[in-house]
Amino acid sequence: MATKKMTNEAPNLIETFREFKETKSIDRTTLVSVLEESFRNVLAKIYGSDENIDVIVNPDKGDFEIYRNRIVVADGEVQDENKEISLSDAQKIEPDYEEGEEVTERVDFNKFGRRAILVLRQTLASKILELEHDALYQKYKDRVGEVISGEVYQMWKREVLVVDDENNELILPKSEQIPSDNYRKGETIRAIVHEVKNDNNNPKIILSRTSPLFLQRLLEAEVPEIGDGLISIRGIARMPGERAKVAVESYDDRIDPVGACVGVKGSRVHGIVRELCNENIDVINYTQNIKLYIQRALSPAVVSSISINEEEKKAEVYLQPEQVSLAIGKSGLNIKLASMLTGFTIDVFREVDETEEEDVNLEEFEDEIEPWIIESIKRIGLDTAKAVLKAPREMLTEKADLEEETVDEVLRILKAEFE
């Protein structure tokens, strides 16, 4: 069966799909396939079927060729004008055509008008966007937990838009930003890939700078012994931008894991501290001895004794009075982080010397000392009878602004309590 091709000049719709020639993240083969499919979808709507259509795309030149193939049938026997052509019509094209032969005609896409070209553009744009979304998802779906660098592109109240080296858009939500972070458009920031969503083929890459895993990855990059498997990070607790506690363990007795992570004069953590907006990092030795672990987690406080309830994951910690504030820390940070790190609820108690008499709150003396006097004394930080008795007399007269006679009477009443 003979096949003859027409040589009509091919329409060149460079402007129609020039923008799709260098589409990011899509290889040439896939792009050609998408272009062909898009043309076929439009032609199928025009002709009713694309089974007998040949589409040849040349993305390098920005042009394409479309051919429609029809079988020659006897005059009056054409049943499907898309797939069949009458003998007389075929012979108008070439006089030597015979029944049963295939006629291949060049299709001028331009003749279908602006509407067809618009549909083609919309189809192309939709498919390219779908491919770009899929490429973005494929790029990041297995990178959760990796640290990446990106450029700050735009800042909003609830999130920051970051672009990677291929101009893919990534999101850094407010909840995943260190409170003291201050971003400027165009600056490069580092963050961890926290979550990759793909709802309705609309991928969303969520970054984080507050995740404990971000601190872990930064430590792994700075401490070779971690990468070599000689030191393991056993736990991390963070209050982003404020303070963090890291528990480490060495598998080589010759290596001090804390010293290796901190470095000489803190050299290995200095860069991390700056990256995390001066977040203080405490590194401690991990141990399976939970009492010792809690004791280390409460550092720099010195613990006197610990009572553990393993079942309820609770710990009662007893300390000397001067160690209590160290254990709790500024704004309760130290004890919060120790609880997060160990997984135990920690209650702190002052250790009382049983040989000493128990102290008494000043409120207990309201029947003997006027309430306004008690309030004046409490305002200078003295809450108990013993605290007042130990304080210099001048402190009560000058700072509490009390008359000498009043101070003498107060001291007499308080002394009597312990005689």
Side-chain angles (χ1 to χ4, degrees):
M1 181 171 65
T3 300
K4 300 180 179 64
K5 282 197 175 183
M6 300 304 295
T7 57
N8 294 346
E9 184 180 350
N12 188 346
L13 299 178
I14 294 178
E15 295 303 324
T16 301
F17 61 91
R18 173 185 289 167
E19 60 196 88
F20 307 111
K21 280 174 55 182
E22 298 176 357
T23 304
K24 62 186 178 183
S25 306
I26 301 177
D27 61 82
R28 175 190 167 87
T29 303
T30 303
L31 180 59
V32 169
S33 175
V34 168
L35 289 167
E36 289 181 359
E37 185 183 351
S38 298
F39 276 112
R40 286 185 173 279
N41 287 342
V42 177
L43 292 166
K45 291 178 182 178
I46 294 171
Y47 290 122
S49 171
D50 68 331
E51 294 176 12
N52 57 321
I53 302 291
D54 293 329
V55 180
I56 303 170
V57 175
N58 187 344
D60 294 330
K61 293 182 180 180
D63 63 14
F64 58 92
E65 298 175 1
I66 301 173
Y67 296 95
R68 182 167 64 149
N69 307 304
R70 292 189 289 177
I71 302 299
V72 179
V73 298
D75 290 347
E77 294 186 9
V78 175
Q79 296 181 353
D80 185 344
E81 291 185 356
N82 179 41
K83 298 180 181 179
E84 298 172 339
I85 184 172
S86 67
L87 179 60
S88 57
D89 287 341
Q91 289 177 344
K92 289 176 185 178
I93 299 171
E94 287 287 346
D96 56 348
Y97 271 124
E98 297 178 0
E99 289 183 30
E101 287 189 320
E102 185 177 71
V103 176
T104 300
E105 295 176 275
R106 184 77 169 266
V107 176
D108 183 357
F109 195 84
N110 282 317
K111 76 176 184 180
F112 299 121
R114 294 178 61 185
R115 182 173 180 81
I117 294 174
L118 179 61
V119 171
L120 173 65
R121 287 180 61 83
Q122 291 174 338
T123 304
L124 276 172
S126 175
K127 290 187 176 297
I128 293 296
L129 183 61
E130 186 178 323
L131 283 171
E132 286 179 351
H133 282 175
D134 186 62
L136 177 59
Y137 176 69
Q138 293 301 324
K139 177 178 180 179
Y140 281 102
K141 71 181 179 69
D142 296 323
R143 295 183 66 185
V144 173
E146 283 188 26
V147 173
I148 66 161
S149 295
E151 180 182 311
V152 175
Y153 185 75
Q154 196 161 357
M155 294 155 288
W156 295 297
K157 186 176 181 180
R158 295 184 178 179
E159 59 189 33
V160 171
L161 181 63
V162 180
V163 293
D164 64 10
D165 53 0
E166 294 180 349
N167 277 332
N168 292 307
E169 296 182 353
L170 318 173
I171 298 298
L172 178 61
K174 187 72 175 177
S175 60
E176 301 300 329
Q177 299 171 25
I178 296 172
S180 51
D181 273 339
N182 185 22
Y183 305 107
R184 294 186 301 276
K185 183 178 174 66
E187 76 172 325
T188 299
I189 64 169
R190 285 198 291 175
I192 199 167
V193 179
H194 181 60
E195 186 179 5
V196 177
K197 299 179 179 179
N198 194 30
D199 301 331
N200 300 319
N201 196 35
N202 184 25
K204 196 172 186 181
I205 315 304
I206 309 297
L207 305 180
S208 174
R209 285 174 51 80
T210 62
S211 168
L213 197 54
F214 184 44
L215 174 53
Q216 179 175 329
R217 293 290 181 259
L218 295 177
L219 281 167
E220 290 170 352
E222 288 290 334
V223 184
E225 290 87 346
I226 297 177
D228 294 339
L230 300 174
I231 294 176
S232 173
I233 297 175
R234 298 303 301 269
I236 293 179
R238 286 184 69 192
M239 298 296 286
E242 296 285 342
R243 192 171 178 182
K245 287 183 180 286
V246 182
V248 294
E249 183 179 24
S250 172
Y251 297 116
D252 187 330
D253 293 338
R254 296 167 297 178
I255 297 177
D256 170 21
V258 174
C261 290
V262 174
V264 179
K265 296 183 179 179
S267 59
R268 287 183 170 177
V269 295
H270 278 166
I272 298 175
V273 168
R274 286 194 299 271
E275 175 71 48
L276 301 180
C277 301
N278 295 320
E279 185 174 309
N280 291 321
I281 301 174
D282 301 334
V283 184
I284 67 168
N285 276 307
Y286 173 80
T287 174
Q288 291 184 339
N289 181 329
I290 192 61
K291 287 188 176 181
L292 182 56
Y293 191 29
I294 293 174
Q295 181 177 325
R296 290 173 178 174
L298 285 170
S299 175
V302 177
V303 175
S304 299
S305 62
I306 300 178
S307 175
I308 296 290
N309 185 326
E310 289 271 8
E311 189 174 322
E312 296 183 10
K313 291 286 183 181
K314 289 185 177 181
E316 293 183 352
V317 178
Y318 297 88
L319 309 97
Q320 290 297 322
E322 68 274 10
Q323 296 295 318
V324 171
S325 60
L326 288 175
I328 295 172
K330 182 180 178 182
S331 303
L333 274 182
N334 199 57
I335 194 168
K336 285 178 186 175
L337 289 170
S339 293
M340 290 165 64
L341 188 67
T342 60
F344 274 70
T345 300
I346 301 174
D347 294 321
V348 171
F349 298 92
R350 288 179 174 84
E351 197 169 45
V352 179
D353 188 341
E354 293 181 358
T355 62
E356 291 187 5
E357 295 173 281
E358 189 174 335
D359 205 350
V360 182
N361 290 328
L362 288 182
E363 284 83 355
E364 300 293 326
F365 298 92
E366 286 185 345
D367 57 339
E368 297 178 81
I369 303 173
E370 292 188 47
W372 71 268
I373 297 176
I374 291 175
E375 287 302 314
S376 296
I377 296 173
K378 288 176 66 179
R379 273 199 296 271
I380 63 172
L382 305 176
D383 296 323
T384 65
K386 287 189 176 181
V388 175
L389 291 172
K390 290 179 182 178
R393 190 169 181 276
E394 294 76 13
M395 182 177 180
L396 297 171
T397 56
E398 294 176 10
K399 291 190 176 182
D401 195 23
L402 298 174
E403 296 290 337
E404 291 187 3
E405 293 80 2
T406 303
V407 171
D408 290 339
E409 180 63 15
V410 168
L411 293 176
R412 184 191 66 75
I413 294 171
L414 297 182
K415 283 179 183 176
E417 175 70 20
F418 302 103
E419 289 177 352

